[in-house]
Amino acid sequence: MHTSTGKSLFKYALTAKKTFILALIMLAIGVAADLAGPFIARTMIDDHVLAIEKSYLQTNKADAYTVSFNHQLYKREDRFAPGETSGQAIQILQVGSQYVAVTGQVSTKDGERSYENGKLSIVHGSQTDTYTAVPLSRSEIFAFYKPEFPGVLQLLGWYLAFLAVTIVMEFGKTYWLQSSANRVIQKLRLDVYAHIQRLPVHFFDNLPAGKVVSRVTNDTEAVKDLFIAVLSNFFTGIINIVGVYVALFLLDARLGLVCLFVVPILIGWIVLYRKIATKYNTIIRSRLSEINAIINESIQGMSIIRVFRRQKQTKAEFEALNNDYMKYQNKMLNLNSFTSHNLVNVLRSGSFAIILWYFGSSALGASSVVSLGVLYAFVDILGRLFQPITGMVNQLAALDSSMVSAGRVFTLMNESGENVTDGSMPRYKGNVEFKDVSFAYKKDYVLKNINFTAKQGQTVALVGHTGSGKSSIINLLFRFYDPQKGMITIDGKPVTELPKQWIRQHMGIVLQDPYLFTGTIASNVSLGDARISRETVQKALRDVGAERILSHLPGGIDEPVIEKGSTLSAGERQLISFARALAFDPAILILDEATANIDTETEALIQSALEVLKKGRTTFIIAHRLSTIRSADQILVLHRGEIVERGTHEELLAMGGKYHQMYQLQLGAAAEKATEPAQPEPVALNTVPRGV
């Protein structure tokens, strides 16, 4: 999983490779400029501050580096030009807080120094060397340091220049890295959303909407953190660590080798940490998806929850998920608390202990002395090694969480989607034929040997008990599914030979519970299709009789519609859905119990509009109220996935079969309801009428 996820993330990173590369170049320059500081400090200490203790030779030629002492000119031995004559030597040594001048060469400066009564003593081991020395006044000390000022100021200038480069590179690195990450996540989100649009409808049958939303929002946001925070820290850390080790080896190869033990420990820790953390993060992301799903479900079903007083049970379900989520979050917290900072502290302490041991051992013999400047620079650079390590270790939790989230996103994107074919096909006539069609969602066939023909302009009604296969026929017609056996043709051409988008372009549907989108009434009719003008929208609303009913709304057809159109009545929503179907002028129209939620007055109003709507179109009606399909050209009675009766309303009544029974039941129920006296009676929701 991790390998394929890493490859997918790398592929997306390549979409912004130019800015990523620019950011990494700026990062490398910034690290190099930052690491120049300890080298400048080493040069300042060794070549200027401590270099005053080098031998000074008498000279007759005055220049910027000469010092006047005891009416003679002296210059540091390493500043004589080739061939330049020199005279007597003196050395300046620091003893406590004062400086003394010794005539001639001092055999060794290493050891404990003391000065008393014109005598300088240097104790090294069991031997004591004594020299005649003269104390220096403040003005004389300043005179010896004065030639060092130009070099020190020059080094300070370089330090400030490198500091400025570091600041600029840090800004550029952060800006380009984060802008690249934002661009990558923008493309990833667009691709995920586009892929969701291509997923077959049956995919959403088993995956709650809340979980899909979690993939698009929470999981992609975690992937964004991966690119912006995690990779930024890891790139910075790796380049810093490489730069630090290069600097350490340049200072002293032996000490650089000693410090290499940090690398395998860090790599081993990252591998071990991710093995444990991935288990926790997988559960955490899964629980978060489930929490989103239950919240989404609860909000959509809030009225049912309250009617049936399910608040406590729903809260208990949510609390169980939330507690489980918190339990694994706490496990991750414990893992991070016990390990991350402790690891860095142990590594830091171990490194400095090894360095102190190294300097305190026999390696500090006369032949292997390391200068104070090198020691300072080494400790400074070694301290910088643990800054990026701290950053990397602190991001391990985010790294693993992001990788788990990325895996969930790419698992969704690896689901097989429907091919999207550009273009369109001319509006077909709408002659539909089912030839020996059998279909199963899983194992058991829900449709068996279905045969019928619906010609252009005809109305075909599908009736039957729940589960008889009515909706499955419509699902096959829309090609949400394809049959396992048989063939479906439109105008004589098998639908499997035509792109799904082309077929659906000339189909329209009106559902029993119409779905309205956030926007306006007009936008819900046109669905934002540029081909449908405002005049077409107004005509469609007028033709279905919606204009008069919706006239009381303050905004008219520009009245705002919130999610699902919950501020509108069921009848108003249904009329808008009718107008939508009419505006798109489909060749095949499906009415899925479209008048079930409409009151008798509104139903009478749109019956004539329905005749207009059906004219010239092949219309399929799924109906439970048989009174609405009397004028159908063909009625198919389905029972357990088979067509058991077919014919017109009158023909089926004459048969005296299932259709006749269903019609008589509905007719009798309607008559009984009409003659029943209006008496208030308690309603028992769980009571089943006798005889049903």
Side-chain angles (χ1 to χ4, degrees):
M1 174 182 168
H2 296 315
T3 305
S4 60
T5 301
K7 286 180 180 178
S8 299
L9 286 171
F10 182 72
K11 182 180 74 173
Y12 271 92
L14 289 178
T15 60
K17 60 178 179 291
K18 290 182 180 178
T19 45
F20 267 126
I21 291 170
L22 180 61
L24 292 178
I25 290 172
M26 297 184 86
L27 173 60
I29 294 172
V31 169
D34 187 45
L35 290 173
F39 285 89
I40 291 172
R42 182 200 67 175
T43 304
M44 194 179 294
I45 292 170
D46 286 349
D47 294 353
H48 297 286
V49 177
L50 296 182
I52 195 174
E53 293 197 352
K54 290 185 177 182
S55 293
Y56 282 78
L57 303 178
Q58 192 175 351
T59 181
N60 296 323
K61 184 179 179 182
D63 58 27
Y65 296 113
T66 55
V67 181
S68 177
F69 178 68
N70 285 343
H71 309 295
Q72 297 291 333
L73 294 176
Y74 290 90
K75 187 162 61 173
R76 219 169 71 188
E77 60 181 348
D78 57 337
R79 287 176 175 161
F80 275 80
E84 188 177 349
T85 58
S86 60
Q88 187 182 15
I90 63 170
Q91 277 194 280
I92 309 299
L93 299 177
Q94 184 178 6
V95 184
S97 60
Q98 69 176 141
Y99 287 82
V100 297
V102 178
T103 303
Q105 295 283 353
V106 176
S107 59
T108 178
K109 295 177 284 184
D110 297 318
E112 186 179 345
R113 301 174 185 178
S114 61
Y115 176 75
E116 190 177 359
N117 300 325
K119 297 294 183 181
L120 170 68
S121 299
I122 301 176
V123 180
H124 46 93
S126 59
Q127 184 178 346
T128 302
D129 295 335
T130 304
Y131 303 94
T132 301
V134 179
L136 299 181
S137 65
R138 288 186 178 181
S139 59
E140 287 172 332
I141 295 171
F142 180 78
F144 277 98
Y145 269 118
K146 189 176 180 181
E148 311 302 326
F149 288 166
V152 170
L153 290 174
Q154 185 181 22
L155 288 172
L156 284 174
W158 278 111
Y159 180 82
L160 291 174
F162 281 121
L163 182 62
V165 170
T166 302
I167 292 170
V168 171
M169 293 299 114
E170 178 66 22
F171 170 80
K173 178 265 295 183
T174 303
Y175 177 81
W176 289 113
L177 203 58
Q178 295 205 6
S179 64
S180 302
N182 285 333
R183 194 175 301 119
V184 168
I185 297 306
Q186 179 192 35
K187 177 170 174 50
L188 178 61
R189 274 210 179 112
L190 286 172
D191 288 352
V192 172
Y193 189 75
H195 188 70
I196 288 173
Q197 302 291 329
R198 292 177 55 242
L199 288 173
V201 173
H202 63 78
F203 175 82
F204 301 98
D205 294 341
N206 302 314
L207 190 65
K211 288 192 175 185
V212 179
V213 171
S214 184
R215 301 278 178 100
V216 182
T217 55
N218 297 346
D219 288 333
T220 53
E221 192 65 27
V223 178
K224 177 184 175 184
D225 293 339
L226 171 70
F227 279 104
I228 289 181
V230 179
L231 292 188
S232 175
N233 272 282
F234 269 79
F235 279 145
T236 305
I238 290 169
I239 291 177
N240 264 295
I241 289 171
V242 171
V244 163
Y245 273 109
V246 169
L248 289 176
F249 276 92
L250 287 175
L251 284 169
D252 191 285
R254 291 163 298 176
L255 293 176
L257 284 170
V258 170
C259 294
L260 277 177
F261 80 96
V262 173
V263 175
I265 291 176
L266 185 62
I267 294 172
W269 166 241
I270 290 173
V271 172
L272 180 63
Y273 175 92
R274 290 212 56 216
K275 190 170 287 188
I276 300 170
T278 299
K279 296 177 183 177
Y280 295 158
N281 277 319
T282 301
I283 297 172
I284 286 169
R285 304 311 298 187
S286 176
R287 293 296 176 273
L288 187 60
S289 286
E290 290 169 10
I291 286 171
N292 282 335
I294 197 172
I295 290 173
N296 181 68
E297 188 178 66
S298 299
I299 291 172
Q300 292 198 22
M302 188 59 70
S303 58
I304 300 299
I305 290 172
R306 292 188 178 180
V307 166
F308 288 95
R309 295 181 296 174
R310 293 280 301 171
Q311 291 96 323
K312 286 185 179 180
Q313 292 89 335
T314 307
K315 182 183 175 184
E317 290 173 11
F318 180 83
E319 193 172 346
L321 277 175
N322 203 27
N323 287 341
D324 204 38
Y325 177 76
M326 186 181 71
K327 182 177 80 174
Y328 282 95
Q329 283 281 32
N330 285 338
K331 286 186 177 184
M332 278 299 303
L333 182 64
N334 291 334
L335 179 65
N336 294 326
S337 299
F338 286 134
T339 54
S340 299
H341 295 289
N342 293 340
L343 171 73
V344 177
N345 290 334
V346 168
L347 289 177
R348 183 188 289 112
S349 301
S351 300
F352 283 113
I354 290 172
I355 299 306
L356 290 173
W357 168 81
Y358 182 87
F359 276 102
S361 68
S362 58
L364 274 177
S367 61
S368 61
V369 172
V370 176
S371 72
L372 182 61
V374 170
L375 178 59
Y376 170 83
F378 195 89
V379 171
D380 185 353
I381 292 173
L382 190 60
R384 292 171 188 239
L385 174 65
F386 294 98
Q387 294 173 6
I389 289 177
T390 302
M392 291 168 69
V393 169
N394 288 345
Q395 290 296 329
L396 281 177
L399 169 66
D400 195 77
S401 176
S402 299
M403 289 298 288
V404 170
S405 294
R408 287 163 54 83
V409 171
F410 291 122
T411 298
L412 178 65
M413 294 185 70
N414 288 334
E415 292 286 343
S416 298
E418 297 176 344
N419 294 325
V420 177
T421 307
D422 294 330
S424 61
M425 67 183 295
R427 187 177 186 273
Y428 44 73
K429 293 178 181 179
N431 295 309
V432 176
E433 185 175 3
F434 275 58
K435 299 177 181 178
D436 298 320
V437 170
S438 295
F439 169 69
Y441 289 102
K442 292 181 180 178
K443 292 182 179 179
D444 298 327
Y445 281 101
V446 294
L447 293 177
K448 305 164 191 172
N449 301 317
I450 301 297
N451 288 278
F452 69 86
T453 301
K455 295 181 179 178
Q456 180 185 7
Q458 282 190 342
T459 297
V460 177
L462 305 173
V463 299
H465 297 297
T466 302
S468 59
K470 303 184 297 296
S471 296
S472 297
I473 289 177
I474 301 304
N475 285 337
L476 294 179
L477 193 58
F478 272 110
R479 283 202 68 195
F480 292 149
Y481 302 86
D482 284 324
Q484 284 83 7
K485 297 179 182 178
M487 180 189 299
I488 302 169
T489 64
I490 296 179
D491 292 352
K493 191 156 190 176
V495 293
T496 51
E497 295 179 9
L498 298 170
K500 295 178 181 180
Q501 293 80 14
W502 291 10
I503 296 173
R504 295 169 188 163
Q505 181 185 358
H506 303 298
M507 288 184 180
I509 188 168
V510 180
L511 298 168
Q512 178 178 345
D513 186 16
Y515 196 96
L516 300 187
F517 298 91
T518 302
T520 64
I521 290 173
S523 70
N524 268 283
V525 174
S526 67
L527 293 180
D529 195 319
R531 296 171 300 174
I532 299 177
S533 65
R534 188 175 178 85
E535 291 72 23
T536 304
V537 170
Q538 290 172 327
K539 184 178 185 305
L541 287 166
R542 188 166 54 250
D543 288 346
V544 299
E547 199 171 53
R548 182 171 63 84
I549 292 178
L550 299 174
S551 60
H552 71 281
L553 298 174
I557 67 170
D558 295 314
E559 179 73 14
V561 175
I562 62 173
E563 185 184 9
K564 287 191 170 183
S566 55
T567 56
L568 301 171
S569 70
E572 288 170 339
R573 292 198 300 271
Q574 196 63 282
L575 287 169
I576 294 170
S577 185
F578 270 109
R580 178 194 294 166
L582 183 59
F584 276 85
D585 188 27
I588 297 174
L589 177 66
I590 291 93
L591 304 175
D592 187 356
E593 195 56 37
T595 59
N597 290 334
I598 296 177
D599 57 84
T600 308
E601 184 182 351
T602 307
E603 182 182 354
L605 178 69
I606 66 171
Q607 279 298 336
S608 58
L610 271 176
E611 295 305 318
V612 176
L613 188 62
K614 294 188 290 183
K615 191 172 294 183
R617 297 181 175 87
T618 306
T619 305
F620 290 87
I621 301 177
I622 295 178
H624 293 104
R625 285 199 290 184
L626 304 184
S627 59
T628 62
I629 57 169
R630 288 180 179 179
S631 61
D633 298 296
Q634 186 179 180
I635 299 173
L636 305 177
V637 182
L638 288 109
H639 180 67
R640 295 183 179 179
E642 296 180 292
I643 299 175
V644 293
E645 294 176 8
R646 68 179 75 204
T648 63
H649 177 72
E650 289 76 15
E651 290 170 350
L652 290 173
L653 285 179
M655 285 183 191
K658 280 191 173 294
Y659 184 83
H660 181 266
Q661 291 176 1
M662 292 166 63
Y663 187 75
Q664 289 299 321
L665 278 172
Q666 288 192 11
L667 198 64
E672 185 180 341
K673 187 175 181 182
T675 58
E676 192 175 75
Q679 294 179 355
E681 291 184 2
V683 178
L685 292 176
N686 60 346
T687 301
V688 179
R690 190 174 297 171
V692 175

